Amino acid sequence: MTAEPRSPAPQPASADATRPGERLADAVDARLPVLDGAGGLLRKAFPHHWSFFLGEIALYSLVVLVLTGVYLTFFFKPSMGQVIYDGSYVPLRGVPMSEAFDSTLSISFDIRGGLLIRQTHHWAALVFVAAIGLHLLRIFFTGAFRRPREANWVIGVTLFMLSLAEGFAGYSLPDDLLSGTGLRIAQGIMLSIPVVGTYVSMFAFGGQFPGEEIVPRLYSLHILLLPGALIALVTVHLILVVHLKHTQWRGPGRSNRNAVGKPFFPQFMASSGGLFFTAFGVLTLLGGLAQINPVWVYGPYRPDIASTGSQPDWYVGFLEGALRLVPPWETNVAGHTIMWNVLLPAIVLPGLLFLVLYLYPFAEQRLTGEWDQEHHLCDRPRERPVRTGLGAAGVTFYGVLLLAGGNDIVAATFRISINTLTWVLRIALVVAPILAFLIARRLCHGLLDAERERLEKGDETGEVRQTLEGGYESGHRPVDTFRPGAPSFPLTPGDGRTGTPSREHPEPARRNQ
């Protein structure tokens, strides 16, 4: 009897038979907790809405700033030592200037690609500050600063403040006539501090203005201390976003207990990566096509010269406007002169503005009784008329100050008296924010009333019917289309000052008191 041949038993696949990607993943995971540790992050859901891109634009602008800034450090000389210019820009040949200004001209005209990188760097700085400001406004108007995100709001406000300081430090480095005028104003602000102002100025400038130390010290702040603080705070901010989960708009299946959106990998990473390359490309196009800060037009800084029509970058324009609007108030106390016209607009006012921003989340939650509730759903601005009105008033206040920072340009362009314009802006600084608050609050109530009526009666069909009584009425159909965050049931009537979210949403926010 002969045995039938049997097929050999399948052998386990050898390590060589696996794909290279799998072998690499296994090798890395054997040494680092990549798959187990990052698995939760890769599957984490990120809600999707266009307004959420503002924070990402700020992040990617910071990346562009770091990349272009590293390139510029190879060629910039942070020194106020005097040299005679002998570069490619013929109109300034033979003119004495600082090494800082000389190296800036060299970057602009002699270094291959230098002007493109320098202008891209400047445009990225403007977009970075603007994106942070708009991101903060989005968080404010949607109530995303409430528990448990108060710490992230504080970090965001600090980032905004540091970005202003970082922008001013970089803007002042070329030592041109425009930035030198800004440093002269900064020195006047330092001198306005009672008692210690003179010492602060001498320490910052290393002696009498303009001194020899201000540019090297600003350079150290600009490339080391402030970027380090910004990157550290951005890292903490992102960690908190992941830990606390992203806020989302109300909608079917969305509540305070979940997050509905794209998984981090691969959908969110793909869309966010596309946004990064888009931001990088747009900033590069701006750097190559849109001229900004042409320092060779201004010339090197001289303490005895100030150019007319000098305008700072927009993010510090509100300080310039505040300085121009306050009357020349001074007080002599025990032989010391207190310059209220500089101290109040340049030190007290910014301090109060940032103090209000820091404290607002805690104050609102105390006043509304929401201190002990967690909020992961975004408010629509119309549902919080008081908060929206306060935000509109703040934006209007800032806008008036920004316009006042260019009152000389406005007066010259429209051929009006600068004194008359200054008084108009002084009055507007008080009246316009109040009007903005009242108008914004009224618009919110009007939108809520219109929305309530639409949900109760339905959308008009365009058909008109005659009733038995001889009158006419329009036909309606049930509402079947809703905007993000809009309720599908009528809102409850408010208390005259705010509205409450729809009853269909779990854990509705309480009304403002």
Side-chain angles (χ1 to χ4, degrees):
M1 198 172 175
T2 59
E4 295 182 0
R6 293 181 298 175
S7 59
Q11 299 295 324
S14 63
D16 295 336
T18 59
R19 288 177 292 181
E22 294 178 357
R23 294 202 305 270
L24 176 61
D26 292 339
V28 174
D29 189 56
R31 294 163 176 81
L32 298 172
V34 175
L35 299 181
D36 293 337
L41 176 61
L42 295 179
R43 294 187 298 271
K44 191 171 184 64
F46 283 82
H48 176 75
H49 190 261
W50 68 265
S51 62
F52 299 159
F53 291 152
L54 295 171
E56 296 180 49
I57 292 174
L59 174 63
Y60 297 144
S61 298
L62 179 61
V63 174
V64 175
L65 280 170
V66 172
L67 294 177
T68 54
V70 169
Y71 180 85
L72 294 174
T73 57
F74 295 147
F75 308 103
F76 182 74
K77 297 178 182 179
S79 171
M80 297 189 71
Q82 293 294 303
V83 297
I84 302 298
Y85 180 70
D86 189 26
S88 300
Y89 188 64
V90 177
L92 288 180
R93 283 183 182 174
V95 176
M97 59 184 63
S98 65
E99 288 186 282
F101 189 74
D102 178 78
S103 62
T104 303
L105 292 178
S106 177
I107 291 172
S108 301
F109 295 108
D110 301 322
I111 304 299
R112 186 180 298 274
L115 182 60
L116 172 65
I117 299 298
R118 190 175 75 83
Q119 294 196 149
T120 301
H121 187 76
H122 201 130
W123 276 114
L126 298 183
V127 173
F128 177 60
V129 180
I132 292 180
L134 293 174
H135 183 56
L136 285 174
L137 287 176
R138 197 277 299 177
I139 292 174
F140 177 84
F141 283 113
T142 61
F145 53 76
R146 294 170 297 178
R147 181 179 178 181
R149 296 178 179 82
E150 300 95 336
N152 240 359
W153 170 263
V154 171
I155 291 174
V157 174
T158 305
L159 281 171
F160 185 63
M161 182 171 58
L162 290 177
S163 67
L164 297 181
E166 173 75 341
F168 178 76
Y171 171 82
S172 303
L173 287 179
D175 196 35
D176 59 283
L177 185 58
L178 186 61
S179 65
T181 302
L183 285 175
R184 184 62 168 177
I185 295 174
Q187 192 237 3
I189 295 172
M190 297 176 191
L191 292 176
S192 71
I193 304 175
V195 182
V196 299
T198 304
Y199 300 98
V200 172
S201 174
M202 294 288 286
F203 171 78
F205 290 90
Q208 293 290 339
F209 182 86
E212 297 290 336
E213 302 296 332
I214 185 63
V215 168
R217 290 175 179 176
L218 287 176
Y219 186 70
S220 299
L221 289 173
H222 185 67
I223 69 169
L224 292 176
L225 182 60
L226 292 176
L230 285 170
I231 293 173
L233 288 177
V234 167
T235 302
V236 175
H237 178 76
L238 295 177
I239 291 174
L240 288 178
V241 168
V242 173
H243 174 68
L244 300 174
K245 78 181 180 182
H246 204 291
T247 55
Q248 60 185 346
W249 292 102
R250 296 185 180 93
R254 301 178 182 181
S255 69
N256 272 326
R257 295 180 295 272
N258 68 358
V260 179
K262 300 178 180 178
F264 180 74
F265 179 85
Q267 286 89 341
F268 178 79
M269 287 186 63
S271 62
S272 186
L275 180 62
F276 165 71
F277 288 111
T278 301
F280 202 123
V282 170
L283 290 174
T284 304
L285 285 175
L286 286 173
L289 301 177
Q291 179 177 275
I292 189 170
N293 198 25
V295 294
W296 53 89
V297 176
Y298 311 137
Y301 178 68
R302 285 176 49 182
D304 58 329
I305 297 178
S307 60
T308 58
S310 299
Q311 301 295 313
D313 281 340
W314 69 268
Y315 48 82
V316 291
F318 76 102
L319 287 177
E320 178 81 10
L323 287 167
R324 297 187 183 194
L325 290 187
V326 176
W329 295 334
E330 293 182 359
T331 303
N332 292 317
V333 179
H336 295 277
T337 300
I338 301 178
M339 301 182 296
W340 299 108
N341 57 322
V342 180
L343 180 66
L344 290 178
I347 296 179
V348 177
L349 177 63
L352 289 176
L353 289 177
F354 278 99
L355 181 63
V356 169
L357 289 176
Y358 278 120
L359 298 180
Y360 184 85
F362 308 97
E364 181 187 286
Q365 292 180 103
R366 285 294 185 186
L367 293 174
T368 58
E370 297 175 332
W371 184 261
D372 57 347
Q373 303 177 22
E374 287 195 358
H375 298 269
H376 301 288
L377 297 175
C378 294
D379 289 332
R380 294 181 304 155
R382 68 183 66 181
E383 295 173 356
R384 300 287 181 145
V386 174
R387 181 201 297 154
T388 303
L390 291 174
V395 172
T396 303
F397 185 81
Y398 176 86
V400 173
L401 291 179
L402 187 61
L403 181 62
N407 62 351
D408 54 340
I409 303 295
V410 175
T413 301
F414 295 98
R415 300 180 182 275
I416 58 179
S417 169
I418 191 171
N419 293 327
T420 302
L421 179 61
T422 299
W423 273 105
V424 169
L425 292 174
R426 286 172 179 171
I427 296 172
L429 189 64
V430 178
V431 176
I434 298 175
L435 291 177
F437 172 82
L438 297 175
I439 293 173
R441 188 178 64 169
R442 183 56 190 162
L443 285 175
C444 288
H445 285 300
L447 290 171
L448 287 173
D449 292 340
E451 189 173 67
R452 187 179 298 113
E453 182 180 359
R454 176 173 178 260
L455 292 174
E456 290 175 351
K457 297 182 179 180
D459 289 325
E460 294 186 0
T461 61
E463 299 177 354
V464 179
R465 298 187 298 269
Q466 186 175 18
T467 64
L468 295 176
E469 293 81 8
Y472 294 91
E473 64 179 13
S474 59
H476 293 80
R477 64 173 181 271
V479 179
D480 55 3
T481 57
F482 306 93
R483 293 183 178 180
S488 56
F489 289 94
L491 295 170
T492 57
D495 61 358
R497 284 170 289 182
T498 187
T500 43
S502 169
R503 294 176 181 175
E504 69 164 338
H505 307 302
E507 302 175 18
R510 297 179 184 177
R511 293 176 292 183
N512 283 338
Q513 301 298 320

